[in-house]
Each structure stands twice: as structure tokens, then as C-alpha cells.
Amino acid sequence: MPRPKPVVFGLYAWTPDYGYRYIHPANRRSFEWLEPVGKVFEKIDETDDWISLRYDEQQFLVSSELFKEIHQKPAFSFGDLVKTTVLPLHQGLVSDVFFHEADDTFRFQLVEKKRKVQRVFEAEELVSE
């Protein structure tokens, strides 16, 4: 039985100014609404024409030209149950993963009781539940 592919994390720094040729026609509107700059994607598959990226529960087909692999793994990923170690205390699921290139750090946003917590947290401000 073949081994599963390791998850590859990366950035996709696309904005509408680049044009839509980088985004599969079926994914253009939803990818634009996502505002992908700075968000960490999981590369889950690739073909000759497109790569398949996952962000939270969404999947997108995009051109590989703008994908930039991140060689480190984030401390938490989509759907991980975490709690904060800073006040005010929160407990929820990781809904967004961001990468700050200037200082090579990941940041995380949570959903608590079906609502997004407005604050974005550093990895050291969270623990697995």
C-alpha cells in the first residue's frame, strides 16, 4: 500500500490584480472572498495543470506558479481544539492559520461557540485541549 503524501504547507500570495488565470474558473469567486494573502494553505494534490489547496474546510484549484512552500510546520492546524493562555480566556477550534514572513511565525484565529474570536493569537498563547 502506498504511503500517504506528507502535508505540504505554503502561501498563495494572489490578489485580483494578478488576474484570474491563476485560479481555476470554478474557484474564482470563493478564492477571492477568502483573501488568501498571508494565509497558510495545505497542498493536498497536484496535476500537470493545477494544484489543489485546502484552507479550513474549503478546497481550491490554483496554478502552481504563485505557491510558496513553508518548510516549517505550524503548531496547530484547522479544526484543532485549543484554549488560550492569555486573558480573556477562550476555547475553540482553529479556523484560520496565518504566516508572518518577516519574523517566520504562525498566528491563529479561533472559532468559539460558532463565532470567530476577533483576536489573532501567537502559537505560545495557545495550548492543545
Side-chain angles (χ1 to χ4, degrees), residues 6-122:
V7 176
V8 174
F9 296 95
L11 301 173
Y12 204 80
W14 176 86
T15 66
D17 296 338
Y18 281 96
Y20 291 96
R21 72 178 184 89
Y22 296 99
I23 313 301
H24 189 278
N27 299 133
R28 286 180 180 158
R29 178 74 65 207
S30 56
F31 199 71
E32 187 172 10
W33 285 339
L34 179 65
E35 297 178 358
V37 174
K39 294 184 176 177
V40 177
F41 291 87
E42 296 175 356
K43 183 170 112 177
I44 55 176
D45 199 12
E46 65 184 299
T47 65
D48 291 339
D49 298 328
W50 303 100
I51 60 173
S52 182
L53 299 180
R54 181 173 93 96
Y55 191 82
D56 196 13
E57 296 177 356
Q58 300 177 74
Q59 290 187 20
F60 305 97
L61 290 174
V62 297
S63 166
S64 63
E65 292 177 63
L66 298 178
F67 184 75
K68 179 181 173 187
E69 186 175 341
I70 300 172
H71 296 284
Q72 62 213 68
K73 182 180 175 188
F76 307 100
S77 192
F78 306 110
D80 286 353
L81 181 60
V82 297
K83 64 181 180 181
T84 62
T85 59
V86 294
L87 295 175
L89 296 177
H90 294 280
Q91 178 180 341
L93 301 175
V94 173
S95 65
D96 292 277
V97 181
F98 304 98
F99 186 70
H100 191 264
E101 289 188 83
D103 57 10
D104 282 343
T105 59
F106 292 95
R107 294 188 174 96
F108 306 90
Q109 194 164 25
L110 310 179
V111 169
E112 180 179 47
K113 298 178 184 172
K114 299 184 180 184
R115 299 186 79 183
K116 267 197 188 195
V117 176
Q118 290 304 305
R119 182 161 183 253
V120 176
F121 298 92
E122 304 288 331

